[in-house]
Amino acid sequence: MTKPEVVIVKPKPKVEVVMCIYKTSCNLLKPIVQRIFRQNIAISTNCINMAAVSDTNLPGTNNLQPQPFKYFLVLDFEATCENGRTIVPQEIIEFPVLKINAVTLQTESVFHQYVQPKVNQQLTPFCTELTGIIQDMVDGQPYIEEVLEKFHTWLEENDLLNPENKFIFVTCGDWDLKTMLTSQLRYFGINRAPYFNKWINIKKPCSHHTNEYPKGMMAMLKKLDLTHEGRHHSGIDDCKNIGRILTELLRRGVVFKPTGKL
């Protein structure tokens, strides 16, 4: 008498079982199986889409909160200056802006332009020592009117004038947009674009988070355990460091709101 043959049947994955049933000719079960199969596929697709945009899948972004803005434009002007006295008119000589995505925290685009001063065209030794900007870097560069036009074009190219892509400027203090730009536009009779009328002075949300009002950028970096990179008072390097302060506060769950307006 021969031994009965033992057949081990391994259960197949759920999807294969569903597919197996789906392929049967049972007219009674077929509509139900089809509906279940479609629902499973829809759920799987939705999970994939959510994972693609989820903040928690990005390194160090677990505490990110929804923000009222899609983009932050980090801005830090450098201007003509002299040791111990005020130059009249003070004029912007470096115009840098970083476009930072509020969800990914990535810098998606950079606007950077040196500006030739109109009135006090020769930079002082103090100005060069402070900012690192030498005379050759501003000679032959566009005046402020053309730079503002170039910046507006950059906003258009980055689709930032689309109302759906809400943005706000981020500065270290109120000087850049409240004092410097305002005084120069007034002096030369240049119209001010409305998008310059609101900004975030990053010192204020930083102070709310740390319970200590910072004196400046270097103090914020230290308080947040961030190292300074580049040259202090280089406009573009300051923008990068302010951007690092911004993204660190975003990672810590800070929600940003306008702090200054005209």
Side-chain angles (χ1 to χ4, degrees), residues 65-234:
Q65 301 298 315
Q67 299 290 331
F69 308 99
K70 280 190 176 182
Y71 297 100
F72 296 102
L73 300 189
V74 180
L75 176 152
D76 189 81
F77 295 140
E78 299 301 327
T80 53
C81 55
E82 177 58 291
N83 190 17
R85 69 179 181 90
T86 302
I87 291 180
V88 180
Q90 194 171 23
E91 299 176 71
I92 295 168
I93 55 175
E94 187 181 5
F95 194 129
V97 180
L98 307 183
K99 174 192 174 188
I100 297 180
N101 188 302
V103 174
T104 67
L105 311 188
Q106 298 300 305
T107 298
E108 295 186 350
S109 184
V110 177
F111 178 86
H112 187 210
Q113 178 67 58
Y114 290 103
V115 189
Q116 181 170 319
K118 283 186 172 183
V119 179
N120 298 290
Q121 296 187 354
Q122 192 70 31
L123 302 183
T124 65
F126 173 79
C127 184
T128 295
E129 182 180 355
L130 180 69
T131 66
I133 300 173
I134 62 174
Q135 194 65 40
D136 287 348
M137 294 167 72
V138 296
D139 285 347
Q141 295 299 317
Y143 294 124
I144 188 63
E145 294 91 340
E146 185 178 346
V147 172
L148 290 169
E149 291 175 2
K150 284 174 175 276
F151 179 68
H152 189 85
T153 299
W154 179 80
L155 291 175
E156 292 176 328
E157 292 171 348
N158 282 271
D159 201 28
L160 288 168
L161 299 183
N162 180 344
E164 294 183 0
N165 293 331
K166 194 174 181 182
F167 71 86
I168 191 165
F169 290 99
V170 178
T171 60
C172 183
D174 295 317
W175 175 83
D176 299 87
L177 293 176
K178 184 177 182 179
T179 304
M180 183 60 245
L181 184 64
T182 301
S183 64
Q184 187 165 1
L185 295 183
R186 183 183 298 123
Y187 186 91
F188 291 112
I190 303 170
N191 291 330
R192 184 188 185 104
Y195 45 70
F196 285 123
N197 290 343
K198 285 186 180 180
W199 63 90
I200 296 170
N201 173 359
I202 200 166
K203 293 179 182 180
K204 293 184 178 180
C206 186
S207 68
H208 293 156
H209 178 72
T210 63
N211 295 318
E212 181 180 336
Y213 196 85
K215 292 182 179 179
M217 183 187 74
M218 301 299 281
M220 286 186 284
L221 289 169
K222 184 177 181 180
K223 193 70 177 178
L224 298 173
D225 294 322
L226 300 172
T227 58
H228 177 258
E229 297 179 359
R231 180 190 179 113
H232 194 195
H233 297 304
S234 158

Side-chain angles (χ1 to χ4, degrees), residues 11-23 33:
K12 295 183 178 180
K14 182 180 179 181
V15 174
E16 293 185 10
V17 173
V18 173
M19 289 296 295
C20 181
I21 298 174
Y22 177 67
K23 290 179 180 179
V33 173

